[in-house]
Every structure is written in C-alpha cells, then in structure tokens.
Amino acid sequence: MKSIFILAVFLSVSVVSCGQDAPIVKHKKSMNTSGKNISDVEVINKVDPICQMQTAGFTKDTMTYKNKVYGFCSVYCKDEFKKDPEKYVQK
C-alpha cells in the first residue's frame, strides 16, 4: 500500500512539472486572427510551434529566425515564440 501511494505521488509530481514547460495558449484551436491569410510566403512549418495548430493554408503571421521563416496562427503565438525561439526550434 505504501509503495502505491509513493508511486501515485511521484506520477502526480511528474505530470505537474511536465505541464509547466508548455505556454498557456489564450485562444481556441479554431480561432482566427484578424487580417488576411498569408499565402505568398514559404514557411518551414505546417504546425504552429506554440499551440500545435495546423497552419498550412491559413498562416496569419510570420517571423524570420536564423534565416528561416516560421508561420503562426496568431500574433499571440508569434509573440510567445519571440520570447524564447530556441525552445520551440528544438522541438
């Protein structure tokens, strides 16, 4: 019984600590930002590196980092990326 309790505590701590790395995304996955879709820019990602939303076909914002253009679903995700780009490029 004691080992089950210790295992449960360990798993709970692991789950909580892993969840702290992910940013809190302030929009729904179906949310679009204002403005037009960007269709004439080649981006290297088909998924927003912040919220993991599919952006292929409806990229709303871009940013160049280390000579590569990244696409984002919203200005919020672009701003999150700007804070620590290396964190998201390594994924």
Side-chain angles (χ1 to χ4, degrees), residues 14 70 77 81 86 91:
S14 297
Y70 293 86
C77 287
F81 184 84
E86 281 299 316
K91 286 187 175 182

Side-chain angles (χ1 to χ4, degrees), residues 12-27:
S12 299
V13 170
S14 297
V15 169
V16 170
S17 65
C18 289
Q20 292 176 353
D21 290 340
I24 298 171
V25 179
K26 296 181 180 178
H27 61 75

